[in-house]
Amino acid sequence: MKILVCISNVPDTTSKINFTDGDTKFDTNGVQFVINPNDEFGLTRAMWFKEKQGATVHIATVGEASVEPTMRKALAIGADEAIRVNAAPTDGFFVAEQLANIIKDGTYDLVIAGRESIDYNGGMVPGILATLLGMNFVNSCISLEIEGSTATAIREIDGGKETVQTSLPLVIGGQKGLVQESDLKIPNMRGIMMARKKTLNVVEPIDATVATKDVKFDKPVAKGAVKLVNSADELVDLLHNEAKVI
Amino acid sequence: MSVLVYTESENGKFKKSAFEVASYAKAVADQLGSSVTAISFNTESNDQLGTYGVSKVLNVADDKLTTFNALAYANSIVQAAQSENTQVIIVSSSTNSKFLAPIVAAKLKAGYVPNVVAAPEGTSPFSVKRTAFSNKGFAHTEITTETKVIGVSNNSFGVKENQTTAAIETFNSNVNDADFSVKSIEIDKVAGQVSIADADIVVSGGRGLKGPENWGMIEELAEVLGAATACSKPVSDMGWRPHGEHVGQTGKPVASNLYIAIGISGAIQHLAGVSASKTKVVINSDPEAPFFKAADYGIVGDAFEVVPKLIEKLKEFKAQNA
């Protein structure tokens, strides 16, 4: 089985968000970039398939050279090879078309992408990718088992979960649950050394659709001070008469 | 050239979000000088949609589509969009809508913008405001394709009445076996329980509750309020609660009218996940907990003393206001 894990390079979850150039660009100053957490769960699940079922695992990222440290980390975790599409990821449609272009030869049985990246939260890459390639697709995936060419997945639904069955080739939008948080792999020194020697192919982008563009950013208005109350009585009164939410 | 809205239902009845997305579609249609067509699946009655500005309903009546199937539903929506010559398609932010919307977008070569929080800022260029960076920021996004798909963030636009008479038609969408290549085997959902996505009120517990055996009072408080239950990341990591309840940057976003955080200190990732909620209440014994800076109302105190009193007071309040 050959697996491709799509890795997005995102600001660390503790990052404070700021904008520059008249609020038209994300301010990367002082921000540490990491593997998108939803992708990290997928990458660890791919490693499980590698260790238990002999899968080969490649990773792919659409990004300029600055994303390579994040890709090297994914290689240090255990991916075998990496592919970087040499382009700034302008929007989800563009990214999906670039990824579809490197997958179209049909060599991957399973493509794992995060349900969404935690920066722009578009959540569209896995679905567009699967549709462009005509591959089966399961989103919000919290469990994945594969036997032969049959995949059994559990996906999150509002208020519960649904078990689905489908066949390879398959694209999943993965998230927490694919593996436990405690099972996430941390690169060790040997992995880091080996990652330096692994192949990181750089391919040039194709002409692709740019369907949306972010023209301006802003931040939520700062909240006023908290109103501290001393009793449940007072709180119920405020929620009813002031906030009008009960 | 109407605006098409996908109105979600469950067991034949519309979800609350269906009326919100219909209301949103009406606002878009008014800006475009157009009208709203809804697509619904196996619903018992479609008359209610007229209340929210829908002038035509395409009801898909097909036993094969009783259970949600992303590809089959997406194909039906695409066919409806084509037959109506639609250029704007509106969906909600439910897990199912976020599953099918990218498929619809890919098939129609349409720009898709999810997590939209307000009516379009303009239609030429077509520009919408959406949350980004897990609610730590907003992006103003232009959609440059001819056809557009908009995902409306739950509870952001609200339900707005706009009385119209809806003409109801049966829509025969053309689905085939290939559309069901992903088969539903089992759905595990507690009947009657409010889900976080649909909830007006969410009651959430953190590590301060000390153990899963103490969740009874969280569930009781949620029941009194008709709320959904949720939790912080450490709680789901420790297996005290299912990860479907984990609220935050890598869990579920909450955009409820009221969010009550009990024993949650308020890590930046958690705050990002709840910042779209309108009113936030924090109960925590630590007066320095960062969540107090993001809250509207707070009680500094032991959850095990405060929550039972709150339940009692709310029961009295409910009895008086019944």
Side-chain angles (χ1 to χ4, degrees), chain B residues 230-255:
Chain B
C231 69
S232 65
K233 183 170 177 291
V235 164
S236 73
D237 286 349
M238 289 183 288
W240 294 359
R241 300 296 293 176
H243 50 68
E245 288 195 2
H246 162 200
V247 163
Q249 199 164 11
T250 55
K252 280 203 160 37
V254 174

mmCIF file with all atom_site columns, all heavy atoms in Angstrom, chain B residues 230-255:
data_model
loop_
_atom_site.group_PDB
_atom_site.id
_atom_site.type_symbol
_atom_site.label_atom_id
_atom_site.label_alt_id
_atom_site.label_comp_id
_atom_site.label_asym_id
_atom_site.label_entity_id
_atom_site.label_seq_id
_atom_site.pdbx_PDB_ins_code
_atom_site.Cartn_x
_atom_site.Cartn_y
_atom_site.Cartn_z
_atom_site.occupancy
_atom_site.B_iso_or_equiv
_atom_site.pdbx_formal_charge
_atom_site.auth_seq_id
_atom_site.auth_comp_id
_atom_site.auth_asym_id
_atom_site.auth_atom_id
_atom_site.pdbx_PDB_model_num
ATOM 1   N N   . ALA B 1 230 ? -19.816 19.711 26.687 1.00 0.00 ? 230 ALA B N   1
ATOM 2   C CA  . ALA B 1 230 ? -18.542 19.784 25.979 1.00 0.00 ? 230 ALA B CA  1
ATOM 3   C C   . ALA B 1 230 ? -17.426 19.671 27.008 1.00 0.00 ? 230 ALA B C   1
ATOM 4   O O   . ALA B 1 230 ? -17.684 19.553 28.215 1.00 0.00 ? 230 ALA B O   1
ATOM 5   C CB  . ALA B 1 230 ? -18.443 21.107 25.231 1.00 0.00 ? 230 ALA B CB  1
ATOM 6   N N   . CYS B 1 231 ? -16.192 19.707 26.532 1.00 0.00 ? 231 CYS B N   1
ATOM 7   C CA  . CYS B 1 231 ? -15.071 19.609 27.468 1.00 0.00 ? 231 CYS B CA  1
ATOM 8   C C   . CYS B 1 231 ? -13.816 20.237 26.872 1.00 0.00 ? 231 CYS B C   1
ATOM 9   O O   . CYS B 1 231 ? -13.763 20.544 25.685 1.00 0.00 ? 231 CYS B O   1
ATOM 10  C CB  . CYS B 1 231 ? -14.801 18.154 27.840 1.00 0.00 ? 231 CYS B CB  1
ATOM 11  S SG  . CYS B 1 231 ? -14.139 17.171 26.491 1.00 0.00 ? 231 CYS B SG  1
ATOM 12  N N   . SER B 1 232 ? -12.813 20.403 27.729 1.00 0.00 ? 232 SER B N   1
ATOM 13  C CA  . SER B 1 232 ? -11.526 20.941 27.277 1.00 0.00 ? 232 SER B CA  1
ATOM 14  C C   . SER B 1 232 ? -10.661 19.801 26.742 1.00 0.00 ? 232 SER B C   1
ATOM 15  O O   . SER B 1 232 ? -10.975 18.623 26.925 1.00 0.00 ? 232 SER B O   1
ATOM 16  C CB  . SER B 1 232 ? -10.827 21.644 28.433 1.00 0.00 ? 232 SER B CB  1
ATOM 17  O OG  . SER B 1 232 ? -10.507 20.688 29.417 1.00 0.00 ? 232 SER B OG  1
ATOM 18  N N   . LYS B 1 233 ? -9.552  20.164 26.104 1.00 0.00 ? 233 LYS B N   1
ATOM 19  C CA  . LYS B 1 233 ? -8.692  19.165 25.474 1.00 0.00 ? 233 LYS B CA  1
ATOM 20  C C   . LYS B 1 233 ? -8.107  18.138 26.455 1.00 0.00 ? 233 LYS B C   1
ATOM 21  O O   . LYS B 1 233 ? -8.170  16.937 26.185 1.00 0.00 ? 233 LYS B O   1
ATOM 22  C CB  . LYS B 1 233 ? -7.566  19.880 24.709 1.00 0.00 ? 233 LYS B CB  1
ATOM 23  C CG  . LYS B 1 233 ? -6.652  18.969 23.949 1.00 0.00 ? 233 LYS B CG  1
ATOM 24  C CD  . LYS B 1 233 ? -5.751  19.789 23.040 1.00 0.00 ? 233 LYS B CD  1
ATOM 25  C CE  . LYS B 1 233 ? -4.762  18.921 22.307 1.00 0.00 ? 233 LYS B CE  1
ATOM 26  N NZ  . LYS B 1 233 ? -3.744  18.357 23.201 1.00 0.00 ? 233 LYS B NZ  1
ATOM 27  N N   . PRO B 1 234 ? -7.562  18.577 27.623 1.00 0.00 ? 234 PRO B N   1
ATOM 28  C CA  . PRO B 1 234 ? -6.992  17.568 28.522 1.00 0.00 ? 234 PRO B CA  1
ATOM 29  C C   . PRO B 1 234 ? -8.022  16.519 28.934 1.00 0.00 ? 234 PRO B C   1
ATOM 30  O O   . PRO B 1 234 ? -7.698  15.346 29.081 1.00 0.00 ? 234 PRO B O   1
ATOM 31  C CB  . PRO B 1 234 ? -6.538  18.379 29.744 1.00 0.00 ? 234 PRO B CB  1
ATOM 32  C CG  . PRO B 1 234 ? -6.452  19.787 29.291 1.00 0.00 ? 234 PRO B CG  1
ATOM 33  C CD  . PRO B 1 234 ? -7.399  19.947 28.144 1.00 0.00 ? 234 PRO B CD  1
ATOM 34  N N   . VAL B 1 235 ? -9.260  16.968 29.099 1.00 0.00 ? 235 VAL B N   1
ATOM 35  C CA  . VAL B 1 235 ? -10.316 16.051 29.530 1.00 0.00 ? 235 VAL B CA  1
ATOM 36  C C   . VAL B 1 235 ? -10.555 14.961 28.474 1.00 0.00 ? 235 VAL B C   1
ATOM 37  O O   . VAL B 1 235 ? -10.684 13.772 28.805 1.00 0.00 ? 235 VAL B O   1
ATOM 38  C CB  . VAL B 1 235 ? -11.612 16.858 29.819 1.00 0.00 ? 235 VAL B CB  1
ATOM 39  C CG1 . VAL B 1 235 ? -12.827 15.958 29.876 1.00 0.00 ? 235 VAL B CG1 1
ATOM 40  C CG2 . VAL B 1 235 ? -11.448 17.634 31.124 1.00 0.00 ? 235 VAL B CG2 1
ATOM 41  N N   . SER B 1 236 ? -10.584 15.345 27.198 1.00 0.00 ? 236 SER B N   1
ATOM 42  C CA  . SER B 1 236 ? -10.787 14.317 26.165 1.00 0.00 ? 236 SER B CA  1
ATOM 43  C C   . SER B 1 236 ? -9.516  13.502 25.973 1.00 0.00 ? 236 SER B C   1
ATOM 44  O O   . SER B 1 236 ? -9.577  12.308 25.716 1.00 0.00 ? 236 SER B O   1
ATOM 45  C CB  . SER B 1 236 ? -11.269 14.930 24.844 1.00 0.00 ? 236 SER B CB  1
ATOM 46  O OG  . SER B 1 236 ? -10.239 15.607 24.191 1.00 0.00 ? 236 SER B OG  1
ATOM 47  N N   . ASP B 1 237 ? -8.344  14.134 26.141 1.00 0.00 ? 237 ASP B N   1
ATOM 48  C CA  . ASP B 1 237 ? -7.087  13.379 26.024 1.00 0.00 ? 237 ASP B CA  1
ATOM 49  C C   . ASP B 1 237 ? -6.996  12.280 27.092 1.00 0.00 ? 237 ASP B C   1
ATOM 50  O O   . ASP B 1 237 ? -6.462  11.208 26.845 1.00 0.00 ? 237 ASP B O   1
ATOM 51  C CB  . ASP B 1 237 ? -5.863  14.306 26.177 1.00 0.00 ? 237 ASP B CB  1
ATOM 52  C CG  . ASP B 1 237 ? -5.640  15.166 24.945 1.00 0.00 ? 237 ASP B CG  1
ATOM 53  O OD1 . ASP B 1 237 ? -6.291  14.896 23.916 1.00 0.00 ? 237 ASP B OD1 1
ATOM 54  O OD2 . ASP B 1 237 ? -4.822  16.104 25.016 1.00 0.00 ? 237 ASP B OD2 1
ATOM 55  N N   . MET B 1 238 ? -7.519  12.589 28.291 1.00 0.00 ? 238 MET B N   1
ATOM 56  C CA  . MET B 1 238 ? -7.453  11.604 29.368 1.00 0.00 ? 238 MET B CA  1
ATOM 57  C C   . MET B 1 238 ? -8.570  10.568 29.268 1.00 0.00 ? 238 MET B C   1
ATOM 58  O O   . MET B 1 238 ? -8.640  9.649  30.080 1.00 0.00 ? 238 MET B O   1
ATOM 59  C CB  . MET B 1 238 ? -7.525  12.313 30.734 1.00 0.00 ? 238 MET B CB  1
ATOM 60  C CG  . MET B 1 238 ? -6.255  13.096 31.054 1.00 0.00 ? 238 MET B CG  1
ATOM 61  S SD  . MET B 1 238 ? -6.246  13.858 32.670 1.00 0.00 ? 238 MET B SD  1
ATOM 62  C CE  . MET B 1 238 ? -7.420  15.186 32.491 1.00 0.00 ? 238 MET B CE  1
ATOM 63  N N   . GLY B 1 239 ? -9.441  10.766 28.283 1.00 0.00 ? 239 GLY B N   1
ATOM 64  C CA  . GLY B 1 239 ? -10.507 9.790  28.071 1.00 0.00 ? 239 GLY B CA  1
ATOM 65  C C   . GLY B 1 239 ? -11.681 9.942  29.027 1.00 0.00 ? 239 GLY B C   1
ATOM 66  O O   . GLY B 1 239 ? -12.525 9.064  29.119 1.00 0.00 ? 239 GLY B O   1
ATOM 67  N N   . TRP B 1 240 ? -11.739 11.080 29.738 1.00 0.00 ? 240 TRP B N   1
ATOM 68  C CA  . TRP B 1 240 ? -12.881 11.295 30.624 1.00 0.00 ? 240 TRP B CA  1
ATOM 69  C C   . TRP B 1 240 ? -14.156 11.489 29.815 1.00 0.00 ? 240 TRP B C   1
ATOM 70  O O   . TRP B 1 240 ? -15.242 11.127 30.244 1.00 0.00 ? 240 TRP B O   1
ATOM 71  C CB  . TRP B 1 240 ? -12.675 12.549 31.493 1.00 0.00 ? 240 TRP B CB  1
ATOM 72  C CG  . TRP B 1 240 ? -11.556 12.460 32.479 1.00 0.00 ? 240 TRP B CG  1
ATOM 73  C CD1 . TRP B 1 240 ? -10.733 11.395 32.702 1.00 0.00 ? 240 TRP B CD1 1
ATOM 74  C CD2 . TRP B 1 240 ? -11.155 13.490 33.387 1.00 0.00 ? 240 TRP B CD2 1
ATOM 75  N NE1 . TRP B 1 240 ? -9.833  11.702 33.683 1.00 0.00 ? 240 TRP B NE1 1
ATOM 76  C CE2 . TRP B 1 240 ? -10.061 12.981 34.137 1.00 0.00 ? 240 TRP B CE2 1
ATOM 77  C CE3 . TRP B 1 240 ? -11.597 14.787 33.644 1.00 0.00 ? 240 TRP B CE3 1
ATOM 78  C CZ2 . TRP B 1 240 ? -9.430  13.724 35.111 1.00 0.00 ? 240 TRP B CZ2 1
ATOM 79  C CZ3 . TRP B 1 240 ? -10.960 15.534 34.620 1.00 0.00 ? 240 TRP B CZ3 1
ATOM 80  C CH2 . TRP B 1 240 ? -9.885  15.004 35.350 1.00 0.00 ? 240 TRP B CH2 1
ATOM 81  N N   . ARG B 1 241 ? -14.001 12.136 28.648 1.00 0.00 ? 241 ARG B N   1
ATOM 82  C CA  . ARG B 1 241 ? -15.151 12.406 27.778 1.00 0.00 ? 241 ARG B CA  1
ATOM 83  C C   . ARG B 1 241 ? -14.741 12.076 26.336 1.00 0.00 ? 241 ARG B C   1
ATOM 84  O O   . ARG B 1 241 ? -13.555 12.108 26.003 1.00 0.00 ? 241 ARG B O   1
ATOM 85  C CB  . ARG B 1 241 ? -15.561 13.900 27.851 1.00 0.00 ? 241 ARG B CB  1
ATOM 86  C CG  . ARG B 1 241 ? -15.964 14.371 29.224 1.00 0.00 ? 241 ARG B CG  1
ATOM 87  C CD  . ARG B 1 241 ? -17.201 13.692 29.762 1.00 0.00 ? 241 ARG B CD  1
ATOM 88  N NE  . ARG B 1 241 ? -18.413 14.025 29.036 1.00 0.00 ? 241 ARG B NE  1
ATOM 89  C CZ  . ARG B 1 241 ? -19.605 13.471 29.313 1.00 0.00 ? 241 ARG B CZ  1
ATOM 90  N NH1 . ARG B 1 241 ? -19.708 12.557 30.264 1.00 0.00 ? 241 ARG B NH1 1
ATOM 91  N NH2 . ARG B 1 241 ? -20.669 13.824 28.635 1.00 0.00 ? 241 ARG B NH2 1
ATOM 92  N N   . PRO B 1 242 ? -15.732 11.767 25.454 1.00 0.00 ? 242 PRO B N   1
ATOM 93  C CA  . PRO B 1 242 ? -15.389 11.449 24.063 1.00 0.00 ? 242 PRO B CA  1
ATOM 94  C C   . PRO B 1 242 ? -14.776 12.656 23.349 1.00 0.00 ? 242 PRO B C   1
ATOM 95  O O   . PRO B 1 242 ? -15.114 13.802 23.671 1.00 0.00 ? 242 PRO B O   1
ATOM 96  C CB  . PRO B 1 242 ? -16.738 11.085 23.442 1.00 0.00 ? 242 PRO B CB  1
ATOM 97  C CG  . PRO B 1 242 ? -17.775 11.631 24.361 1.00 0.00 ? 242 PRO B CG  1
ATOM 98  C CD  . PRO B 1 242 ? -17.173 11.693 25.716 1.00 0.00 ? 242 PRO B CD  1
ATOM 99  N N   . HIS B 1 243 ? -13.878 12.398 22.391 1.00 0.00 ? 243 HIS B N   1
ATOM 100 C CA  . HIS B 1 243 ? -13.232 13.556 21.762 1.00 0.00 ? 243 HIS B CA  1
ATOM 101 C C   . HIS B 1 243 ? -14.188 14.375 20.892 1.00 0.00 ? 243 HIS B C   1
ATOM 102 O O   . HIS B 1 243 ? -13.878 15.503 20.544 1.00 0.00 ? 243 HIS B O   1
ATOM 103 C CB  . HIS B 1 243 ? -11.934 13.190 21.043 1.00 0.00 ? 243 HIS B CB  1
ATOM 104 C CG  . HIS B 1 243 ? -12.030 12.040 20.123 1.00 0.00 ? 243 HIS B CG  1
ATOM 105 N ND1 . HIS B 1 243 ? -12.740 12.074 18.982 1.00 0.00 ? 243 HIS B ND1 1
ATOM 106 C CD2 . HIS B 1 243 ? -11.498 10.796 20.215 1.00 0.00 ? 243 HIS B CD2 1
ATOM 107 C CE1 . HIS B 1 243 ? -12.637 10.898 18.393 1.00 0.00 ? 243 HIS B CE1 1
ATOM 108 N NE2 . HIS B 1 243 ? -11.903 10.110 19.118 1.00 0.00 ? 243 HIS B NE2 1
ATOM 109 N N   . GLY B 1 244 ? -15.355 13.848 20.594 1.00 0.00 ? 244 GLY B N   1
ATOM 110 C CA  . GLY B 1 244 ? -16.370 14.645 19.890 1.00 0.00 ? 244 GLY B CA  1
ATOM 111 C C   . GLY B 1 244 ? -16.830 15.843 20.719 1.00 0.00 ? 244 GLY B C   1
ATOM 112 O O   . GLY B 1 244 ? -17.431 16.780 20.208 1.00 0.00 ? 244 GLY B O   1
ATOM 113 N N   . GLU B 1 245 ? -16.534 15.799 22.024 1.00 0.00 ? 245 GLU B N   1
ATOM 114 C CA  . GLU B 1 245 ? -16.927 16.928 22.897 1.00 0.00 ? 245 GLU B CA  1
ATOM 115 C C   . GLU B 1 245 ? -15.787 17.937 23.085 1.00 0.00 ? 245 GLU B C   1
ATOM 116 O O   . GLU B 1 245 ? -15.985 18.967 23.711 1.00 0.00 ? 245 GLU B O   1
ATOM 117 C CB  . GLU B 1 245 ? -17.356 16.393 24.280 1.00 0.00 ? 245 GLU B CB  1
ATOM 118 C CG  . GLU B 1 245 ? -18.689 15.688 24.258 1.00 0.00 ? 245 GLU B CG  1
ATOM 119 C CD  . GLU B 1 245 ? -19.277 15.499 25.653 1.00 0.00 ? 245 GLU B CD  1
ATOM 120 O OE1 . GLU B 1 245 ? -18.679 15.949 26.643 1.00 0.00 ? 245 GLU B OE1 1
ATOM 121 O OE2 . GLU B 1 245 ? -20.359 14.887 25.744 1.00 0.00 ? 245 GLU B OE2 1
ATOM 122 N N   . HIS B 1 246 ? -14.611 17.613 22.579 1.00 0.00 ? 246 HIS B N   1
ATOM 123 C CA  . HIS B 1 246 ? -13.466 18.505 22.776 1.00 0.00 ? 246 HIS B CA  1
ATOM 124 C C   . HIS B 1 246 ? -13.651 19.814 22.003 1.00 0.00 ? 246 HIS B C   1
ATOM 125 O O   . HIS B 1 246 ? -13.777 19.827 20.794 1.00 0.00 ? 246 HIS B O   1
ATOM 126 C CB  . HIS B 1 246 ? -12.192 17.761 22.340 1.00 0.00 ? 246 HIS B CB  1
ATOM 127 C CG  . HIS B 1 246 ? -11.009 18.630 22.068 1.00 0.00 ? 246 HIS B CG  1
ATOM 128 N ND1 . HIS B 1 246 ? -9.949  18.225 21.307 1.00 0.00 ? 246 HIS B ND1 1
ATOM 129 C CD2 . HIS B 1 246 ? -10.709 19.902 22.441 1.00 0.00 ? 246 HIS B CD2 1
ATOM 130 C CE1 . HIS B 1 246 ? -9.058  19.188 21.218 1.00 0.00 ? 246 HIS B CE1 1
ATOM 131 N NE2 . HIS B 1 246 ? -9.503  20.219 21.888 1.00 0.00 ? 246 HIS B NE2 1
ATOM 132 N N   . VAL B 1 247 ? -13.669 20.900 22.752 1.00 0.00 ? 247 VAL B N   1
ATOM 133 C CA  . VAL B 1 247 ? -13.839 22.227 22.178 1.00 0.00 ? 247 VAL B CA  1
ATOM 134 C C   . VAL B 1 247 ? -12.483 22.911 22.114 1.00 0.00 ? 247 VAL B C   1
ATOM 135 O O   . VAL B 1 247 ? -11.718 22.875 23.069 1.00 0.00 ? 247 VAL B O   1
ATOM 136 C CB  . VAL B 1 247 ? -14.799 23.053 23.071 1.00 0.00 ? 247 VAL B CB  1
ATOM 137 C CG1 . VAL B 1 247 ? -14.691 24.526 22.766 1.00 0.00 ? 247 VAL B CG1 1
ATOM 138 C CG2 . VAL B 1 247 ? -16.224 22.563 22.882 1.00 0.00 ? 247 VAL B CG2 1
ATOM 139 N N   . GLY B 1 248 ? -12.188 23.538 20.973 1.00 0.00 ? 248 GLY B N   1
ATOM 140 C CA  . GLY B 1 248 ? -10.927 24.272 20.865 1.00 0.00 ? 248 GLY B CA  1
ATOM 141 C C   . GLY B 1 248 ? -10.395 24.261 19.452 1.00 0.00 ? 248 GLY B C   1
ATOM 142 O O   . GLY B 1 248 ? -11.076 23.824 18.524 1.00 0.00 ? 248 GLY B O   1
ATOM 143 N N   . GLN B 1 249 ? -9.162  24.719 19.344 1.00 0.00 ? 249 GLN B N   1
ATOM 144 C CA  . GLN B 1 249 ? -8.570  24.913 18.028 1.00 0.00 ? 249 GLN B CA  1
ATOM 145 C C   . GLN B 1 249 ? -8.465  23.610 17.233 1.00 0.00 ? 249 GLN B C   1
ATOM 146 O O   . GLN B 1 249 ? -8.628  23.604 16.026 1.00 0.00 ? 249 GLN B O   1
ATOM 147 C CB  . GLN B 1 249 ? -7.176  25.511 18.200 1.00 0.00 ? 249 GLN B CB  1
ATOM 148 C CG  . GLN B 1 249 ? -6.664  26.175 16.951 1.00 0.00 ? 249 GLN B CG  1
ATOM 149 C CD  . GLN B 1 249 ? -5.480  27.066 17.255 1.00 0.00 ? 249 GLN B CD  1
ATOM 150 O OE1 . GLN B 1 249 ? -4.917  27.040 18.333 1.00 0.00 ? 249 GLN B OE1 1
ATOM 151 N NE2 . GLN B 1 249 ? -5.096  27.858 16.287 1.00 0.00 ? 249 GLN B NE2 1
ATOM 152 N N   . THR B 1 250 ? -8.149  22.511 17.914 1.00 0.00 ? 250 THR B N   1
ATOM 153 C CA  . THR B 1 250 ? -8.065  21.244 17.200 1.00 0.00 ? 250 THR B CA  1
ATOM 154 C C   . THR B 1 250 ? -9.278  20.363 17.479 1.00 0.00 ? 250 THR B C   1
ATOM 155 O O   . THR B 1 250 ? -9.325  19.217 17.068 1.00 0.00 ? 250 THR B O   1
ATOM 156 C CB  . THR B 1 250 ? -6.775  20.480 17.597 1.00 0.00 ? 250 THR B CB  1
ATOM 157 O OG1 . THR B 1 250 ? -6.759  20.347 19.015 1.00 0.00 ? 250 THR B OG1 1
ATOM 158 C CG2 . THR B 1 250 ? -5.545  21.223 17.142 1.00 0.00 ? 250 THR B CG2 1
ATOM 159 N N   . GLY B 1 251 ? -10.244 20.913 18.162 1.00 0.00 ? 251 GLY B N   1
ATOM 160 C CA  . GLY B 1 251 ? -11.491 20.196 18.406 1.00 0.00 ? 251 GLY B CA  1
ATOM 161 C C   . GLY B 1 251 ? -12.625 20.916 17.699 1.00 0.00 ? 251 GLY B C   1
ATOM 162 O O   . GLY B 1 251 ? -12.480 21.382 16.579 1.00 0.00 ? 251 GLY B O   1
ATOM 163 N N   . LYS B 1 252 ? -13.748 21.016 18.385 1.00 0.00 ? 252 LYS B N   1
ATOM 164 C CA  . LYS B 1 252 ? -14.916 21.658 17.775 1.00 0.00 ? 252 LYS B CA  1
ATOM 165 C C   . LYS B 1 252 ? -14.950 23.146 18.089 1.00 0.00 ? 252 LYS B C   1
ATOM 166 O O   . LYS B 1 252 ? -14.688 23.532 19.221 1.00 0.00 ? 252 LYS B O   1
ATOM 167 C CB  . LYS B 1 252 ? -16.181 21.029 18.362 1.00 0.00 ? 252 LYS B CB  1
ATOM 168 C CG  . LYS B 1 252 ? -16.556 19.732 17.756 1.00 0.00 ? 252 LYS B CG  1
ATOM 169 C CD  . LYS B 1 252 ? -18.043 19.493 17.982 1.00 0.00 ? 252 LYS B CD  1
ATOM 170 C CE  . LYS B 1 252 ? -18.604 18.483 17.016 1.00 0.00 ? 252 LYS B CE  1
ATOM 171 N NZ  . LYS B 1 252 ? -17.719 17.397 16.689 1.00 0.00 ? 252 LYS B NZ  1
ATOM 172 N N   . PRO B 1 253 ? -15.328 23.971 17.119 1.00 0.00 ? 253 PRO B N   1
ATOM 173 C CA  . PRO B 1 253 ? -15.587 25.366 17.443 1.00 0.00 ? 253 PRO B CA  1
ATOM 174 C C   . PRO B 1 253 ? -17.001 25.493 18.015 1.00 0.00 ? 253 PRO B C   1
ATOM 175 O O   . PRO B 1 253 ? -17.884 24.723 17.645 1.00 0.00 ? 253 PRO B O   1
ATOM 176 C CB  . PRO B 1 253 ? -15.483 26.064 16.088 1.00 0.00 ? 253 PRO B CB  1
ATOM 177 C CG  . PRO B 1 253 ? -15.825 25.012 15.087 1.00 0.00 ? 253 PRO B CG  1
ATOM 178 C CD  . PRO B 1 253 ? -15.494 23.680 15.706 1.00 0.00 ? 253 PRO B CD  1
ATOM 179 N N   . VAL B 1 254 ? -17.186 26.419 18.920 1.00 0.00 ? 254 VAL B N   1
ATOM 180 C CA  . VAL B 1 254 ? -18.515 26.637 19.495 1.00 0.00 ? 254 VAL B CA  1
ATOM 181 C C   . VAL B 1 254 ? -18.957 28.065 19.194 1.00 0.00 ? 254 VAL B C   1
ATOM 182 O O   . VAL B 1 254 ? -18.216 29.011 19.460 1.00 0.00 ? 254 VAL B O   1
ATOM 183 C CB  . VAL B 1 254 ? -18.514 26.430 21.024 1.00 0.00 ? 254 VAL B CB  1
ATOM 184 C CG1 . VAL B 1 254 ? -19.853 26.813 21.622 1.00 0.00 ? 254 VAL B CG1 1
ATOM 185 C CG2 . VAL B 1 254 ? -18.203 24.984 21.363 1.00 0.00 ? 254 VAL B CG2 1
ATOM 186 N N   . ALA B 1 255 ? -20.140 28.186 18.621 1.00 0.00 ? 255 ALA B N   1
ATOM 187 C CA  . ALA B 1 255 ? -20.675 29.522 18.344 1.00 0.00 ? 255 ALA B CA  1
ATOM 188 C C   . ALA B 1 255 ? -22.068 29.612 18.947 1.00 0.00 ? 255 ALA B C   1
ATOM 189 O O   . ALA B 1 255 ? -23.037 29.927 18.279 1.00 0.00 ? 255 ALA B O   1
ATOM 190 C CB  . ALA B 1 255 ? -20.717 29.758 16.831 1.00 0.00 ? 255 ALA B CB  1
#
